[in-house]
Amino acid sequence: VSFAWTWQVQHRIGVRSIDYEIQYRKKRCRHQVSRFAAPRLDESKTAVLLSLNARGVSKKVVKMASECVATEDLYVTGSLEEASVAAREIVNKGYGTVISGGGDGTLSLAVSQICSARAAAGEEIPLRNFPRFVALPLGTGNAVARYVFGPRYRSWRGTKGLKRAISALQQNSMHLTDLRVPVLRVDNSPDLCFIAGCGFDSFILDDYQKLRRSVSAFPGLRSVLSSVFGYFVATATSTLPQYALGNRQMYVKVSARSGVAYVDPRRGDAALPIVKSDKEENNFIVLYQGKATIVAVGATPFYGGGMRLFPFARAAASVDSVNLRIARMSPLIFVPNAFGIFTGSYRSPEAALDFIGDEFFVEFTEGTHPVQHSGDPLGNRYAFRLSVAGHVRFVDFLGLPSAISHLSSTATATVDN
């Protein structure tokens, strides 16, 4: 049984319109799908995947993409269904490089759907030999892009950033090094992410969504608040006051398997391996039990808006290690230390507990609480597990400092910064 269809995506520019007709042709034999693995990846083949729901994917960005790459290499999506079809096409064509335009949510969705498409194509370990990514910072939260591109990540925004990335790949595709970043899974969900957790950040997200809905009738104001500024407004007007009133108490029990380390600020941020005691059952180690304002895990040091919420995310030599942060601080502690928390320099052996590992379990001992990943709500839960599912490669345009560039095992292309 075989069939084909055409998917048409339209994007209007002023009174003119550009029609992006992307042909998705799918031939499937009912009894043969499981026999064949995904096509071999070709890193010289680049697909551009843009989400119209991302804040920074403007009309100009879409137009620039259509001018820089062939029509069959451009995927412009506006819904989950369109994104899923695009992911299958990217896998079927064997693209080895994917330029993703959006924020952390868009990037996580692209990684998740391509992973699912590879699994459906018969790959036993979908994240192995996975396409490498270029994560353009075109969203509200750009934690991964900040880490990959470094302090001058803003120069990779908009049309200039897109054109710059495409040009660099066309000229040096096979000579650029890769940067590996672990990817997280929440419970057994097929959705993958780079940031997830509960508590203060989840409540901020919930308040931010409520704030946006409250001004939906005012397009100008909604546009202003659909940014990092909106998060600050939601935090100041709703999240912090609710915490001060004691309406958002969260009691947790956080456990981990063996191989976890505690980062001790009293010893110069030394990572101290934690061993299982005789009293603990199975292979679980209870790391903390009590009141918490945030329990979150990050694969990179950054959170939304450039906050270094996970300063030890990439501190371990293992590519599969991530940073778990448990915060135990009231607004009275948070407010005067906000700058240090934002820059990642704040240390407290009592108020901020940091661990490094690859699998963590969180239980709420009193009721349910909202959980989020990549800035997207997952709803209220009684418990959840965060584990490293594998890693994703990102094209490293930054590279090592020139003084030690010889340490790279692969030739590093020079890209003007």
Side-chain angles (χ1 to χ4, degrees), residues 49-54 76-88 90-91 98 100-118 127 130 133 135 144 183-184 189-195 373-376 392 394:
L49 181 59
L50 301 176
S51 170
L52 297 176
N53 298 315
V76 182
T77 67
S79 67
L80 290 175
E81 187 177 7
E82 292 175 5
S84 178
V85 174
R88 291 197 296 270
I90 288 173
V91 169
V98 178
S100 173
D104 295 316
T106 299
L107 175 63
S108 297
L109 178 63
V111 170
S112 299
Q113 293 190 326
I114 290 177
C115 185
S116 296
R118 286 176 60 80
L127 284 171
F130 202 71
F133 273 74
V144 176
V183 62
L184 299 165
S189 170
D191 296 333
L192 303 174
C193 60
F194 299 93
I195 303 170
H373 85 69
S374 310
D376 294 324
V392 176
F394 290 89

Side-chain angles (χ1 to χ4, degrees), residues 27-48:
K27 296 182 178 179
R28 176 182 298 171
C29 182
R30 189 174 295 170
H31 302 291
Q32 296 178 348
V33 171
S34 61
R35 296 183 184 178
F36 298 98
R40 186 178 181 86
L41 299 181
D42 182 355
E43 292 189 350
S44 65
K45 292 182 61 177
T46 301
V48 178

Side-chain angles (χ1 to χ4, degrees), residues 13 32 37 57 59 108 147 150 159 169 179 199 202 218 225 238 255 283 287 294 299 322 327 334 345 375 388 406:
I13 301 180
Q32 296 178 348
V57 179
K59 301 171 184 178
S108 297
Y147 170 67
T159 56
L169 288 172
L179 196 62
S202 298
F218 307 95
L225 294 176
S238 182
S255 307
N283 294 322
L287 303 177
I294 185 172
V322 292
F334 175 82
S345 61
V388 175
H406 65 282

Side-chain angles (χ1 to χ4, degrees), residues 211-219 222:
L211 177 65
R212 292 185 63 198
R213 288 195 295 269
S214 69
V215 296
S216 59
F218 307 95
R222 179 182 174 85

